[in-house]
């Protein structure tokens, strides 16, 4: 089946019969699928096109119907439209794709001496044109696409005219050119060819008249004069220099082949094409586009793809140079200039010896011409500057691992990793849709391992494509272990590690050392201060080093004072940390890093506890190797802990592995101050387990008991109550063995809390009372008594003994006031309000809720207890009939929970959806 869009849209069956197509939106959808033949078009994009950006709520269902109607029209060829993960793909013979293929083939042939074959190929391409695409279809975006396709066609006309002139066929070409310049009255290149054909046919007067007619059009319509090239041509006609054909002016077509499975990158492609597009009647200023990114991110593929797409706008040729900037032997600009001059027709013996003279001759040859130059893999701006044209009309696309910030006037495009949809599409196009859809989970696992790096995806996909007997799951399993991943990511001459190594080898020694040391940190992202401690440098020196690594794309800075490495770069840095660093350098660096985190965690914990004692075995406040921030209040300390949560737990594990046991113990114990005010995470468990091991390695029973308590909290939050009780009982045994009755009361309280979560309220109440009695046997801060009294009250509330619960809440609140324990006061007021609500005393309950919320906001408006308080306030409001206010409270609770990665966010959002729906139904 053949699809034609170069003119009115038409589909022909195998026997040549024209297929009757559905009308309206179905044709819009088909037109876009044809324009993107072989590439998946997302459902969202098709919907946007079909409804001109204003789709109805049922558009997804209607799109499915449109696709079905097209498939029915295709009959036995219905499989031409393939359903993809995110949209649809047309796999068929489309005239637009064929025209582009022939034009590219002809342009490569025009570099040679024999022009017969390129002329025949162009003639075949032009014969496919039946008129402007997409006319009559109700779509603004398709109209724009049709304009661009017509520009490609007109550029091919210009190529054909030039080829025939170079072959000496000016007389035969004259009549055709007359029609073309009439159809496209503002195309200077077509007019130039027509003027040459007329002059060489002895029709100088007509040639001169044609120039003046064009000049009048340009002046009246656009307010500009013809370009330099056409003006020079006019002078040659006046002087009679075009009576006979002169020597051919080379039109290089050096772009590498465009990769057929190019995928995604819609935004950077559009950005680059917009920059390169210009008015043919008034060439734009010199356009320089600098594409940067890490090795393997797809810079060269993007540049070549865009260059092919834009080639029609540069009829005087396309130059391509691999500058080998990431290699040990980058190209020398003077040598590149010599090659470019030869490519532009300068005989080898006439190439100037001096580099500056070569650059000047190069700029002179390009003046007045429209040439697109691709400078691939530049090392730095100094390598690029001598290769830039000097005048408007030409354009340059530069790719580099460096950002080339000092390349003045350049438009910068930083490439990031592919998003998941783009990565899946690339993988599917190489491996095959059938295999991917048969093993979707394994395919997703591979994509996670490749972290959106196009080179990695291509390597894995190429391996699978070459081995049809392999399952996707088998390859996914080989990539699962991080330590083996880079070794697996190679295929033939493609290798991720080798690509990264090129970038690393180009770094100066100080930056290379810093990069290796960064590999010792088990972090996905990090701030400046801990790196300053790690490197042992001043803040200013560290910032300069990190900025340089960002410039080289070995590091990223997505926000101020936030740095991160691509996941695969991080694995590479970790490898180098083990092979390039001396242990005598690595160990002190890690000690400085751990010590800094210990010192800052101590300061943050002190702000969070608001006067409560910190565990004395973590009280050592070591001198940090970098400045320690000052935390002004509870919120300040809590927010730093939230930002650094993942790094803190990783540092605890790092300290334990490297036998920095005191630091592992101290960090973990101080981290508990934050953990107590946050919903416990399963991700904390390895850190607390490592800290418990450190405590046991140093035979520190007090620290072990404390950390077992924290480990038990994580296990209880995850629902593993047996493991939690085991931890609490071990902690209890340690504290009793040490004669620390007050601390042992905390373990009894923890066991009671597990009973409460299991619904064993009578047993829980007995243990809470036991804990309260124990804590009174030993002098110490009074806040613990208040905590245990409140826990008893919660039990009584759950048992329906509301009045007794209120009495205990009152006692707990008094203790919290006397001890200055504001966080407990806020939590207990919220709990007391819930009990009042259950008694139907809504006015009192809501007043108590609001007082609790005010205190939470005074504390900074953060933490798990604030989420609990907002959620409870919503429940009481709803029970009191204030549904609108309840929804507002739950929305605030959900937003806060989401901002803190609190797992309760989903449950609150679900309740909101149900409540909103019920309220709407009630209003109806």
């Amino acid at each position: 089946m053949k699809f034609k869009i170069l003119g009115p849209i038409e589909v022909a069956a195998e026997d040549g019969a024209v297929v009757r197509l559905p009308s309206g939106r179905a044709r819009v959808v088909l037109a876009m699928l044809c324009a993107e033949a072989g590439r998946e078009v997302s459902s969202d994009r098709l919907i946007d096109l079909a409804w001109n950006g204003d789709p109805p709520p049922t558009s997804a269902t209607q799109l499915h119907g449109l696709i079905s109607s097209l498939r029915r029209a295709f009959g036995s060829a219905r499989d031409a439209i393939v359903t993809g993960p995110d949209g649809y793909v047309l796999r068929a013979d489309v005239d637009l794709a064929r025209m582009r293929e022939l034009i590219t083939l002809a342009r490569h042939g025009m570099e040679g001496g024999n022009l017969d074959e390129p002329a025949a190929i162009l003639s075949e391409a032009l014969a496919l044109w039946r008129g402007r695409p997409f006319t009559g279809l109700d779509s603004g975006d398709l109209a724009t696409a049709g304009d661009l396709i017509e520009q490609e066609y007109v550029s091919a006309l210009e190529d054909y005219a030039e080829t025939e002139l170079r072959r000496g066929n000016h007389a035969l070409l004259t009549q055709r050119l007359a029609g073309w310049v009439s159809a496209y009255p503002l195309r200077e290149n077509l007019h130039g060819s027509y003027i040459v054909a007329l002059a060489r046919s002895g029709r100088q007067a007509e040639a001169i008249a044609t120039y003046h007619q064009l000049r009048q059009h340009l002046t009246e319509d656009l307010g500009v004069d013809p370009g330099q090239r056409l003006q020079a041509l006019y002078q040659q006609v006046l002087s009679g220099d075009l009576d006979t054909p002169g020597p051919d002016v080379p039109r290089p077509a050096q772009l590498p082949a465009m990769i057929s499975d190019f995928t995604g990158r819609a935004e950077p492609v559009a950005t680059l094409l917009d920059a390169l597009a210009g008015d043919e009647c008034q060439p734009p200023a010199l356009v320089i586009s600098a594409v940067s990114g890490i090795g393997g991110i797809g810079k060269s593929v993007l540049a070549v793809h865009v260059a092919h797409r834009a080639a029609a706008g540069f009829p005087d040729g396309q130059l391509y140079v691999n500058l080998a900037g990431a290699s040990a032997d980058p190209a020398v600009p003077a040598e590149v200039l010599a090659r470019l001059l030869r490519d532009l027709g300068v005989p080898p013996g006439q190439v100037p010896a001096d580099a500056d003279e070569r650059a000047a001759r190069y700029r002179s040859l390009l003046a007045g011409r429209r040439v697109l130059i691709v400078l691939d893999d530049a090392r730095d701006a100094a390598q690029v500057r001598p290769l830039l044209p000097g005048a408007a009309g030409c354009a340059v696309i530069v790719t580099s691992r460096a950002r080339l910030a000092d390349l003045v006037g350049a438009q910068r495009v930083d490439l990031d990793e592919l998003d998941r949809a783009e990565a899946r599409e690339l993988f599917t196009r190489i491996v095959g849709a059938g295999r991917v859809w048969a093993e979707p989970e394994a395919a997703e696992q591979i994509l996670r391992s490749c972290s959106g790096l196009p080179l990695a995806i291509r390597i894995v996909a190429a391996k699978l494509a070459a081995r049809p007997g392999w399952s996707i799951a088998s390859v996914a399993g080989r990539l699962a272990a991080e330590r083996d991943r880079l070794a697996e990511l190679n295929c033939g001459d493609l290798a991720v590690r080798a690509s990264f190594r090129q970038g690393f080898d180009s770094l100066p020694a100080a930056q290379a050392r810093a990069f290796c040391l960064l590999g010792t940190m088990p972090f996905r992202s990090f701030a400046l201060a801990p790196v300053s401690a790690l490197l042992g440098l001043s803040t200013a020196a560290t910032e300069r080093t990190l900025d340089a690594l960002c410039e080289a794309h070995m590091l990223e800075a997505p926000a101020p004072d936030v740095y991160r490495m691509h996941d695969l770069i991080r694995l590479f840095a970790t490898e180098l940390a083990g092979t390039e660093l001396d242990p005598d350098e690595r160990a002190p660096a890690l000690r400085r890093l751990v010590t800094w985190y210990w010192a800052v965690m101590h300061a943050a914990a002190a702000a969070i506890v608001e006067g409560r004692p910190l565990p004395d075995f973590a009280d050592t406040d070591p001198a940090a190797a970098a400045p320690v921030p000052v935390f002004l209040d509870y919120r300040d300390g809590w927010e730093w802990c939230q930002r650094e949560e993942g790094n803190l737990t990783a540092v605890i594990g790092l300290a334990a592995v490297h036998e920095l046991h005191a630091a592992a113990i101290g960090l973990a114990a101080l981290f508990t101050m934050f953990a107590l005010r946050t919903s416990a995470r399963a991700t904390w468990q390895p850190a607390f387990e490592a800290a418990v091991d450190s405590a046991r390695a140093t035979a520190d029973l007090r620290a072990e008991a404390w950390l077992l308590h924290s480990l038990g909290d994580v296990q209880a939050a995850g629902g593993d109550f047996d493991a939690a009780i085991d931890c609490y009982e071990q902690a209890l045994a340690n504290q009793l063995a040490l004669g620390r009755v007050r601390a042992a009361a905390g373990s009894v309280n923890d066991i009671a809390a597990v009973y409460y979560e299991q619904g064993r309220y009578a047993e829980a109440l007995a243990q809470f009372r036991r804990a309260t009695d124990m804590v009174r046997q030993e002098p110490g801060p009074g806040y613990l008594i208040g905590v245990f009294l409140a826990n008893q009250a919660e039990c009584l509330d759950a048992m329906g003994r509301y009045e007794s619960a209120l009495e205990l809440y009152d006692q707990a609140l008094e203790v919290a006031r006397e001890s200055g324990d504001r966080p407990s006061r806020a939590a207990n007021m919220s709990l007391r309000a819930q009990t009042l609500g259950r008694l139907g005393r809504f006015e009192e309950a809501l007043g108590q809720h609001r007082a609790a919320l005010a205190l939470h906001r005074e504390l900074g408006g953060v933490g798990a207890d604030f989420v609990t308080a907002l959620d409870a306030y919503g429940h009481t409001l709803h029970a009191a009939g204030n549904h609108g206010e309840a929804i507002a409270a739950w929305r605030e609770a959900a937003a806060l929970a989401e901002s803190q990665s609190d797992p309760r966010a989903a449950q609150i959002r679900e309740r909101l959806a149900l409540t909103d729906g019920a309220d709407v139904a009630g209003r109806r």
Side-chain angles (χ1 to χ4, degrees):
M1 184 169 280
K2 296 184 182 299
F3 291 76
K4 299 178 182 180
I5 59 172
L6 299 176
I9 192 164
E10 185 178 298
V11 179
E14 296 266 343
D15 59 2
V18 176
V19 175
R20 185 174 180 180
L21 296 171
S23 59
R25 291 191 177 93
R27 290 196 177 220
V28 173
V29 169
L30 178 60
M32 179 49 65
L33 291 174
C34 287
E36 298 288 338
R39 292 192 290 269
E40 182 176 353
V41 184
S42 71
S43 296
D44 290 343
R45 187 178 178 197
L46 291 172
I47 288 170
D48 192 58
L49 284 166
W51 280 273
N52 267 321
D54 187 23
T58 59
S59 57
T61 303
Q62 291 189 49
L63 174 63
H64 182 72
L66 296 176
I67 294 293
S68 297
S69 69
L70 288 169
R71 285 171 169 161
R72 283 195 299 272
F74 297 166
S76 60
R78 60 183 291 110
D79 291 341
I81 297 180
V82 179
T83 304
D86 299 302
Y88 300 92
V89 186
L90 179 70
R91 302 198 184 279
D93 181 4
V94 180
D95 58 356
L96 173 61
R98 178 61 177 162
M99 183 184 79
R100 286 172 170 167
E101 179 186 355
L102 290 169
I103 291 171
T104 300
L105 184 63
R107 284 175 176 156
H108 281 294
M110 288 168 68
E111 290 189 81
N114 185 353
L115 296 176
D116 294 343
E117 186 176 0
I121 294 171
L122 281 171
S123 181
E124 181 184 350
L126 297 175
L128 296 171
W129 186 263
R130 297 176 296 113
R132 190 176 178 282
F134 312 137
T135 53
L137 296 179
D138 182 20
S139 170
D141 285 350
L142 281 180
T144 302
D147 290 338
L148 293 174
I149 293 170
E150 188 168 17
Q151 295 304 313
E152 293 181 57
Y153 164 71
V154 176
S155 181
L157 288 179
E158 293 168 345
D159 289 341
Y160 178 74
E162 181 179 338
T163 302
E164 290 292 47
L165 287 174
R166 289 167 65 186
R167 295 173 71 210
N169 292 333
H170 40 271
L172 296 173
L173 191 61
T174 304
Q175 186 174 354
R176 299 185 72 181
L177 277 166
W180 295 341
V181 297
S182 176
Y184 303 103
L186 299 179
R187 293 289 291 213
E188 287 197 33
N189 286 318
L190 279 179
H191 280 80
S193 295
Y194 187 35
I195 290 169
V196 171
L198 289 169
R200 289 181 180 172
S201 300
R203 300 160 64 180
Q204 274 84 356
E206 292 176 73
I208 292 170
T210 298
Y211 175 81
H212 284 295
Q213 185 179 21
L214 172 65
R215 187 173 183 277
Q216 183 178 356
H217 272 307
L218 294 176
T219 303
E220 292 179 356
D221 295 349
L222 302 173
V224 299
D225 286 325
Q228 296 178 17
R229 185 182 181 209
L230 203 58
Q231 291 182 38
L233 184 63
Y234 172 62
Q235 293 299 324
Q236 288 177 299
V237 172
L238 289 176
S239 64
D241 289 345
L242 289 178
D243 284 346
T244 57
D248 288 339
V249 177
R251 281 195 60 235
Q254 298 178 350
L255 296 178
M258 188 161 59
I259 293 178
S260 61
D261 54 25
F262 180 86
T263 302
R265 301 296 194 199
E267 186 174 339
V269 166
T271 298
L272 292 169
L273 287 175
D274 286 347
L276 295 173
D279 190 332
E280 292 82 2
C281 304
Q282 183 182 18
L286 174 64
V287 175
I288 307 170
S289 296
V291 181
S292 63
I294 64 174
I297 203 69
K299 302 179 293 295
S300 300
V301 171
L302 173 69
V304 170
H305 177 84
V306 169
H308 276 286
R309 293 271 301 270
F314 298 90
D316 296 319
Q318 303 88 42
L319 294 165
Y320 173 86
V321 183
N322 182 353
L323 295 176
S327 73
D329 187 23
V332 178
E335 295 174 3
V336 174
L337 283 167
R339 197 209 90 182
L340 291 173
L341 289 174
R342 293 192 296 271
D343 293 341
L344 292 169
V346 177
Q350 296 180 25
V351 173
D354 180 74
D356 289 340
E357 290 181 18
R358 289 178 182 178
R361 183 73 178 276
Y362 170 69
R363 292 192 293 270
S364 297
L365 286 172
L366 293 177
R369 304 179 70 184
R370 285 186 60 75
V371 176
L372 176 60
I373 302 130
V374 177
L375 302 176
D376 198 9
D377 191 19
R379 186 178 189 86
D380 50 33
Q383 189 186 31
V384 170
R385 289 192 195 97
L387 309 179
L388 298 178
C394 293
V396 183
I397 302 176
V398 185
T399 74
S400 178
R401 298 187 186 212
R403 280 192 167 82
L404 305 181
D406 52 344
L407 189 60
V408 178
Q411 174 197 46
R412 285 171 183 82
V413 176
D414 282 349
L415 286 190
D416 204 348
E417 57 261 29
L418 296 176
D419 64 33
R420 186 50 56 85
E422 291 174 329
R424 189 190 309 115
E425 183 182 352
L426 175 59
F427 185 73
T428 302
R429 293 183 69 176
I430 299 172
V431 175
R435 293 175 72 184
V436 173
W437 294 342
E439 298 183 79
E441 292 180 5
E444 287 299 314
Q445 185 180 338
I446 284 177
L447 295 179
R448 285 193 295 272
S449 296
C450 292
S451 302
L453 189 74
L455 176 60
I457 296 167
R458 286 187 181 281
I459 287 171
V460 178
K463 283 185 175 182
L464 282 164
R467 298 168 176 83
W470 283 21
S471 70
I472 295 178
S474 66
V475 176
R478 295 169 68 167
L479 290 168
E482 286 193 345
R483 66 179 180 276
D484 301 325
R485 192 169 297 162
L486 291 180
E488 288 292 332
L489 291 175
N490 72 89
C491 181
D493 62 349
L494 298 177
V496 170
R497 183 190 279 125
S499 177
F500 292 165
R501 185 79 207 196
Q502 281 189 321
F504 174 76
D505 287 343
S506 67
L507 295 174
Q511 294 170 28
R513 169 188 174 271
F515 182 77
C516 293
L517 283 171
L518 290 176
T520 65
M521 299 196 311
F523 306 155
R524 294 190 180 277
S525 65
F526 43 86
L528 178 66
V531 180
S532 180
L534 177 80
L535 301 183
L537 299 175
S538 68
T539 300
T542 302
E543 189 168 20
R544 287 192 297 271
T545 300
L546 295 184
D547 285 349
L549 289 173
C550 288
E551 173 67 19
H553 272 288
M554 302 300 283
L555 195 62
E556 301 169 26
D561 196 29
V562 177
Y563 299 90
R564 72 179 179 93
M565 283 183 175
H566 184 277
D567 286 346
L568 295 178
I569 285 269
R570 181 176 54 81
L571 296 183
F572 177 65
T574 301
E575 284 187 355
L576 293 181
T579 59
E580 302 283 330
L581 291 177
D582 190 301
D584 291 339
E585 182 176 23
R586 189 166 58 244
L590 286 172
R591 190 174 297 109
R592 290 193 299 269
L593 177 71
V594 170
T595 300
W596 183 85
Y597 268 107
W598 190 1
V600 181
M601 187 67 245
H602 195 281
I608 291 171
V609 298
E610 290 202 321
R612 280 193 190 184
L614 293 172
D616 51 8
F617 54 84
D619 247 359
T620 305
D621 194 356
V628 173
V630 175
F631 300 107
L632 301 176
D633 53 25
Y634 174 99
R635 182 187 183 112
D636 227 12
W638 192 93
E639 287 185 338
W640 180 85
C641 290
Q642 186 192 29
R643 284 194 305 273
E644 291 284 341
E645 177 187 325
N647 292 354
L648 285 165
T649 54
V651 166
I652 292 167
L654 188 71
V657 166
H658 290 276
E659 299 185 353
L660 301 172
H661 296 308
I665 293 166
L667 269 166
L670 294 166
F671 182 76
T672 302
M673 301 298 101
F674 166 71
L676 287 171
R677 301 298 177 195
T678 310
S679 293
R681 321 259 203 267
T683 52
W684 299 347
Q685 184 162 332
F688 284 126
E689 287 174 343
V692 168
D693 289 342
S694 284
R696 287 170 176 164
T698 55
D700 189 336
L701 289 181
R702 289 175 58 208
E704 181 186 346
W706 181 285
L707 297 167
L708 282 167
H709 156 86
S710 301
L711 178 58
D713 288 349
V714 173
Q715 290 167 331
D720 191 351
F721 297 125
D722 290 342
I725 286 180
D726 184 55
C727 284
Y728 296 147
E729 287 178 344
Q730 290 182 59
L732 176 61
N734 281 7
Q735 300 290 15
L736 291 175
L738 292 168
R740 295 170 56 84
V741 177
R742 188 180 181 84
S747 299
V748 173
N749 179 78
D750 293 335
I751 293 169
V754 172
Y755 292 160
Y756 176 86
E757 290 298 324
Q758 292 176 316
R760 297 158 61 182
Y761 300 125
E763 294 171 82
L765 181 60
Q767 292 300 318
F768 281 137
R769 285 172 173 165
R770 178 188 172 200
T772 308
D773 291 342
M774 290 174 68
V775 82
R776 284 174 167 149
Q777 294 176 24
E778 191 175 289
Y783 74 91
L784 267 183
I785 296 174
V787 171
F788 295 167
L789 287 170
N791 290 344
Q792 289 182 49
E794 274 197 84
C795 255
L796 290 167
D797 178 277
M799 298 166 74
R801 296 165 60 183
Y802 301 129
E803 296 294 347
S804 298
L806 288 175
E807 289 178 16
L808 285 176
Y809 278 134
D810 289 339
Q811 294 177 39
L813 281 168
E814 184 60 31
V815 172
R817 272 193 215 87
E818 290 175 356
S819 61
D821 185 1
R822 293 193 300 164
S824 289
R825 255 182 71 207
N828 292 342
M829 280 194 287
S830 178
L831 290 167
R832 185 176 185 277
Q834 293 172 61
T835 301
L836 288 168
R838 281 187 265 279
L839 287 168
R841 294 157 61 178
F842 292 121
E843 187 175 344
E844 289 178 76
L846 292 173
Q848 186 91 90
H849 272 303
R850 290 176 188 125
L853 292 175
L855 186 50
H856 275 297
R857 296 186 201 283
E858 190 180 310
L859 286 165
V862 293
D865 284 349
F866 190 28
V867 175
T868 302
L870 285 166
D871 191 27
Y873 181 44
H875 279 291
T876 303
L877 285 165
H878 199 269
N882 299 337
H883 294 180
E885 291 182 60
I887 288 171
W890 283 333
R891 282 179 179 156
E892 185 179 357
L896 179 64
E898 286 165 349
S899 72
Q900 298 176 173
S901 302
D902 190 316
R904 292 175 293 175
Q907 179 185 358
I908 300 171
R909 287 288 183 203
E910 185 177 347
R911 185 188 317 126
L912 272 169
L914 292 171
T915 305
D916 279 341
D919 287 349
V920 169
R923 287 195 295 273
R924 286 178 183 164

